[in-house]
Amino acid sequence: MNINAFYQKTRPSLCVIALLMGAITVMPAYATTAPASATQSTLVTTVFKVPGMTCADKACDTSIYIALHRLHGVKKIQMDDMAKTVTVRYDPKDVSVPTLLHTFTHIGYPASIAPQ
């Protein structure tokens, strides 16, 4: 196999890996324009258990991150592959837990609120 054929076959995987390497631990959904002190008091953090998050190649993480990132009000997303949990920090005035749960289900990764 020549190098061009190899590159064409592996390029999508390499792009996903490169994207995730810089954003695996704590991923801010988008920058806020309000001061941190005003935003901090209104944000809520919920941990979701996602038993279907089993992809070794990070495809699950990517799908979940993109879907949650698109929701208005989601500020930070943190994923733990070993515990199969996703921690979401969000503004409850903009997005609700049922909306977050529906988003997980809609993309094929049903979730539940993790016990505290």
Side-chain angles (χ1 to χ4, degrees):
M1 174 184 290
N2 69 29
I3 191 70
N4 288 333
F6 176 78
Y7 179 73
Q8 291 299 322
K9 289 180 100 174
T10 59
R11 183 175 50 175
S13 298
L14 294 173
C15 291
V16 169
I17 291 169
L19 172 70
L20 291 173
M21 289 307 291
I24 286 177
T25 52
V26 176
M27 298 176 266
Y30 56 85
T32 60
T33 55
S37 60
T39 306
Q40 288 290 62
S41 62
T42 61
L43 297 181
V44 174
T45 301
T46 303
V47 179
F48 296 93
K49 186 76 175 163
V50 188
M53 200 167 74
T54 59
C55 303
D57 63 355
K58 301 292 184 191
C60 301
D61 289 1
T62 304
S63 299
I64 292 168
Y65 174 74
I66 289 171
L68 294 176
H69 172 75
R70 291 180 178 169
L71 296 175
H72 180 68
V74 173
K75 306 296 182 189
K76 193 177 287 188
I77 303 162
Q78 182 176 353
M79 299 184 195
D80 184 345
D81 293 334
M82 297 300 288
K84 297 183 182 179
T85 60
V86 177
T87 304
V88 181
R89 189 154 176 83
Y90 59 95
D91 188 338
K93 292 182 274 181
D94 294 328
V95 66
S96 65
V97 171
T99 301
L100 293 167
L101 289 170
H102 174 75
T103 301
F104 280 106
T105 302
H106 181 73
I107 62 170
Y109 297 100
S112 61
I113 298 174
Q116 297 292 330

